[in-house]
Amino acid sequence: ESGEGGGPEYSTYLRRCDGTPPVRVGPGRALDMSPDGRLVLSVDIRNPVALDLTPTGAGEVRKIKLPTLVAHRGAGFLRDGKRVFVTGRDDSGRRGTWLTDLEGRDPRPLPLPEGRILQQNTFTNDGTHFIAGCPDGSFACSYDTVKGEPTPVPGAQKGWAAVGIDARGRIYFRDRKVGAAEKLLRLVGGKVTTLAVLAPRDRAGAFGLLDV
């Protein structure tokens, strides 16, 4: 939460989907929650030199700091809950995305095209591949987390941006080609299903959605 609800340092809250009041976990900008719901990733917006790994119950806050980074910007858990991807920049200003464990040991850069970063958690269930834009930026590709070897995703169209993969391996995309609204799509074996059209109730003055 930012603004008045979060304060100058922002705040990370845990809230159930049943409408019960939120519980404050700690300061910082929330990034992700572990698959088992026991840990939360966040980052200090004023001094992003590391990530905070905060228990949702009793326990101490731990830090994940990659030696290659001076600013940690984004992160997310892989489905096994033992690894995270971290996006940030080094002291020369170059951005990149790395894969590491919860201790920040042996970070390995993801084989993305030069200048690209991974902003959404689009890893497969086994963590061996992720979905990102193809090198030419036109379509979505599947990348091996070690070798790269981008392969176009069958059925994906130009302009779609991958936002996630569910436990059954179905890929979700956002289609930004509809002005103030976006389509949320699901792709299974080349077959596309439109799940929703996402837009503010009043589209006057709206130019797009920040995140899905």
Side-chain angles (χ1 to χ4, degrees):
E1 182 69 49
S2 61
E4 292 184 9
E9 296 182 346
Y10 289 26
S11 293
T12 296
Y13 290 90
L14 190 65
R15 187 169 195 167
R16 295 184 177 276
C17 295
D18 60 7
T20 51
V23 176
R24 188 175 185 273
V25 176
R29 180 169 60 88
L31 300 175
D32 199 10
M33 184 165 61
S34 63
D36 61 9
R38 295 181 178 181
L39 296 168
V40 170
L41 273 172
S42 62
V43 64
D44 186 330
I45 63 168
R46 292 182 172 179
N47 190 29
V49 295
L51 300 171
D52 289 330
L53 193 60
T54 307
T56 56
E60 297 292 325
V61 178
R62 291 183 284 160
K63 298 284 186 180
I64 299 177
K65 178 173 174 53
L66 302 195
T68 54
L69 299 184
V70 297
H72 300 64
R73 298 299 185 190
F77 287 93
L78 272 65
R79 199 171 293 276
D80 61 12
K82 299 177 181 179
R83 294 174 292 170
V84 293
F85 73 94
V86 182
T87 293
R89 64 174 176 83
D90 61 20
D91 55 5
S92 67
R94 291 177 299 184
R95 300 189 305 166
T97 302
W98 286 260
L99 196 61
T100 185
D101 65 10
L102 301 188
E103 307 298 327
R105 294 174 297 200
D106 302 322
R108 175 166 49 83
L110 286 182
L112 285 158
E114 182 70 25
R116 302 274 191 89
I117 59 173
L118 190 67
Q119 295 178 298
Q120 299 279 5
N121 192 340
T122 58
F123 287 90
T124 55
N125 294 328
D126 59 8
T128 61
H129 292 77
F130 63 92
I131 308 298
C134 296
D136 65 3
S138 58
F139 293 90
C141 274
S142 173
Y143 289 77
D144 185 291
T145 56
V146 177
K147 302 176 183 178
E149 300 176 345
T151 304
V153 176
Q157 297 182 21
K158 188 175 182 179
W160 292 4
V163 296
I165 300 177
D166 68 15
R168 294 171 59 183
R170 299 176 297 189
I171 307 172
Y172 294 80
F173 291 91
R174 59 193 297 191
D175 182 3
R176 298 188 175 98
K177 296 184 295 185
V178 284
E182 292 188 8
K183 290 182 180 179
L184 180 62
L185 310 167
R186 183 172 62 207
L187 181 62
V188 184
K191 182 179 179 181
V192 181
T193 302
T194 299
L195 299 180
V197 175
L198 308 174
R201 188 168 297 176
D202 181 2
R203 301 188 190 185
F207 61 87
L209 306 182
L210 292 179
D211 203 2
V212 175

